[in-house]
Amino acid sequence: MASITFLGNVVNTNGQLPPIGSQAPDFTLTAANLSNKSLSDFKGKKVVLNIFPSLDTGTCAASVRTFNEAASRLNNTVVLCISKDLPFAQDRFCASEDVENVVTLSDYKNTNFSDAYQVSIIDGILAGLLSRVVITLDENGKILYHEQVAEIVDEPNYEAALASLNV
């Protein structure tokens, strides 16, 4: 398990992130139109996994906005914004914020995603939500970079994540 903090209080996740250089585990999540989406649906593209607790928080919303702006400049890259928020809420957020360059995906059905990536918060008041993590993948699904943000209310290192795609 990994220890992180929420407002300075220690909370734990259900494990460690998959190692850099390893093959990213496939998963199935729910898209805004309620269809299933898998990592394999994005084969041949570089992928940014922007994982966070909920769009209803300022930091999570900021990360989606920041990656949305960056995605408009990235070639052959898709940004997947993943949370436990319902697909309807994700879609409503994107419409109200003019977010159109990222793909929102929901883990609300308790799919294999949080177990495969070990990002589920297991204790504290955020138990059951996803921790704040950014993972980048090359076109073949190999993990290039990952960051589990040590303090959940902090934003990830966008520059490092995006720079990892230029290897």
Side-chain angles (χ1 to χ4, degrees):
M1 104 179 66
S3 290
I4 53 178
T5 59
F6 174 60
L7 299 173
N9 299 304
V10 175
V11 294
N12 297 289
T13 67
N14 58 332
Q16 300 292 323
L17 299 176
I20 293 173
S22 67
Q23 191 67 30
D26 201 8
F27 55 76
T28 302
L29 294 167
T30 306
N33 65 2
L34 302 180
S35 68
N36 289 331
K37 288 290 183 185
S38 298
L39 180 59
S40 57
D41 292 331
F42 305 99
K43 188 175 183 169
K45 292 184 178 269
K46 293 179 183 178
V47 177
V48 176
L49 302 176
N50 178 33
I51 306 160
F52 51 88
S54 175
L55 283 168
D56 286 328
T57 69
T59 306
C60 299
S63 74
V64 172
R65 285 187 210 103
T66 299
F67 278 119
N68 180 64
E69 183 181 324
S72 68
R73 301 183 306 271
L74 299 173
N75 292 325
N76 195 39
T77 303
V78 62
V79 177
L80 307 180
C81 293
I82 303 167
S83 69
K84 292 270 188 175
D85 293 302
L86 291 174
F88 314 111
Q90 292 174 334
D91 196 42
R92 189 171 43 252
F93 172 84
C94 291
S96 70
E97 297 284 333
D98 294 322
V99 170
E100 51 191 34
N101 300 314
V102 300
V103 176
T104 56
L105 297 173
S106 177
D107 189 33
Y108 84 100
K109 290 183 181 179
N110 290 325
T111 63
N112 58 345
F113 178 78
S114 56
D115 287 338
Y117 287 84
Q118 301 291 293
V119 294
S120 202
I121 298 170
I122 60 170
D123 53 20
I125 62 172
L126 297 180
L129 295 177
L130 305 178
S131 61
R132 185 174 317 288
V133 172
V134 176
I135 300 173
T136 63
L137 312 174
D138 71 8
E139 297 92 334
N140 299 309
K142 184 176 90 175
I143 298 174
L144 299 171
Y145 169 89
H146 62 55
E147 175 193 13
Q148 181 148 44
V149 179
E151 169 56 60
I152 294 173
V153 300
D154 292 343
E155 291 185 58
N157 185 338
Y158 302 110
E159 294 80 22
L162 295 170
S164 73
L165 298 169
N166 296 320
V167 294

